[in-house]
Amino acid sequence: MKLVIFGMFRSGTSYLWWTLSKDERFKHSYYEPLHPHLLDDRKGYKHYVSYNELKDLEKYFNWNLAFNKYVMKEDEENFQLKRYLNYLIKENTLVKINRMSFRISWFKKNFPDVKCIGIIRDPRAYAYSHIRNGRMWDPIFFDLCLGDSRFNDYLDPLKDESDLVKLLAFWKICAEEMLLNMLIITIENLNKDISSTISNLYKYVGYEIPVKSILDAMLAPDSYTSFWGDTTVRYNEVAEEVWKTAIDKTGIKDLMEGFGYG
């Protein structure tokens, strides 16, 4: 079993990873291996603790792996990233990886024996979670995509728009990239019927569905899944007209409807 979860920040990747990591058949389970502050965070955060078992981690990890070649074609070379991920992904490994939305085709070519799944969230909830309660969205990933010829024509007219518009635009190009490469589930469906969603996920990737005792343990509520799985529609705190304008400017209406977001 080798399984990697892809997705955008604040879209349910942590929620899905924490749920699947309770499957004891995964002997290794890694959370955000490209986090720039991984070496420090592994000392104090429960979800990074598995990295403490890797005595050679510092030989392979580099904070710049998160940003260097952020957008890649499948046949490009990235020796450092391949070497690092190859070090992590052993037999029976689960990985939750952000900062890879535009390197998925590269990953699949270089790690053909690894199953890939994605998770996505209503773009309004995704965008609002980045800015609510005074949070500041870091536009570095928008800017990295803006500098690439694949996305420049679409993103350049939006570069001076509000953060909400930029976030919806970024959601669009990420979602389109994932659609080309893997099964995508939504955090809304995960919350609606977690048992069926997880069972169908296992069937899709060709893994045996966990026995009832393991599945029950995976689905049992706890503080981590409750925190990460909160998808309350708080984006309604932003005026509907604001969302309509942002959706029109970014042209994401059809894509939203394809995922069931009316």
Side-chain angles (χ1 to χ4, degrees):
M1 294 171 66
K2 297 179 181 179
L3 182 63
V4 174
I5 301 166
F6 291 89
M8 298 167 250
F9 296 109
R10 312 203 65 79
S11 292
T13 53
S14 297
Y15 179 26
L16 180 59
W17 169 83
W18 184 254
T19 300
L20 296 178
S21 69
K22 297 178 188 178
D23 184 341
E24 59 192 26
R25 294 175 297 173
F26 288 115
K27 304 302 182 185
H28 316 279
S29 185
Y30 299 114
Y31 179 89
E32 286 205 38
L34 299 184
H35 195 296
H37 304 297
L38 174 62
L39 297 183
D40 292 327
D41 286 358
R42 65 178 173 152
K43 301 170 185 175
Y45 291 91
K46 181 177 179 180
H47 37 290
Y48 288 103
V49 70
S50 60
Y51 292 101
N52 293 328
E53 302 170 4
L54 302 174
K55 63 180 181 179
D56 295 325
L57 179 64
E58 294 186 28
K59 295 181 181 179
Y60 295 89
F61 173 80
N62 185 313
W63 72 271
N64 195 44
L65 293 174
F67 313 107
N68 185 38
K69 294 189 175 183
Y70 182 66
V71 181
M72 291 178 60
K73 296 178 181 178
E74 68 175 28
D75 57 352
E76 285 188 54
E77 290 190 5
N78 192 331
F79 173 76
Q80 278 194 321
L81 182 58
K82 183 177 180 181
R83 179 172 175 262
Y84 173 49
L85 293 176
N86 196 54
Y87 170 65
L88 295 180
I89 303 174
K90 309 173 181 67
E91 293 298 320
N92 302 315
T93 298
L94 172 69
V95 181
K96 174 256 190 187
I97 187 165
N98 299 116
R99 305 171 177 87
M100 282 287 288
S101 293
F102 306 102
R103 297 185 273 194
I104 299 172
S105 60
W106 172 89
F107 180 92
K108 292 182 68 176
K109 181 176 181 180
N110 285 277
F111 298 90
D113 60 331
V114 180
K115 303 294 186 180
C116 301
I117 55 173
I119 185 167
I120 209 162
R121 185 182 188 185
D122 187 312
R124 294 163 294 187
Y126 153 81
Y128 186 57
S129 69
H130 277 274
I131 65 166
R132 85 171 183 239
N133 300 331
R135 293 175 183 152
M136 294 295 292
W137 177 57
D138 184 349
I140 184 172
F141 301 106
F142 180 94
D143 293 339
L144 286 168
C145 292
L146 178 64
D148 191 274
S149 59
R150 286 179 60 191
F151 308 112
N152 182 265
D153 288 348
Y154 172 63
L155 295 179
D156 188 67
L158 304 173
K159 63 184 179 182
D160 296 322
E161 294 287 347
S162 69
D163 283 347
L164 285 179
V165 170
K166 289 181 179 179
L167 281 158
L168 293 191
F170 187 71
W171 180 90
K172 178 179 185 290
I173 58 178
C174 286
E176 289 174 338
E177 195 76 7
M178 287 195 292
L179 275 170
L180 290 173
N181 287 288
M182 68 187 72
L183 167 75
I184 300 178
I185 66 173
T186 69
I187 192 173
E188 291 83 7
N189 281 340
L190 193 61
N191 273 336
K192 183 178 179 180
D193 189 345
I194 187 170
S195 179
S196 293
T197 302
I198 294 296
S199 295
N200 289 335
L201 186 157
Y202 274 87
K203 290 178 184 177
Y204 178 83
V205 298
Y207 295 159
E208 185 178 347
I209 298 173
V211 297
K212 186 177 186 303
S213 60
I214 296 177
L215 190 60
D216 287 346
M218 290 171 63
L219 305 183
D222 57 59
S223 58
Y224 271 75
T225 47
S226 296
F227 171 73
W228 279 323
D230 179 15
T231 58
T232 306
V233 188
R234 295 184 62 178
Y235 65 81
N236 283 342
E237 294 172 13
V238 174
E240 184 176 348
E241 188 59 35
V242 173
W243 287 122
K244 183 179 183 304
T245 299
I247 290 168
D248 288 344
K249 285 184 176 181
T250 53
I252 66 170
K253 184 178 180 181
D254 289 345
L255 190 57
M256 286 178 63
E257 291 177 350
F259 284 108
Y261 303 131

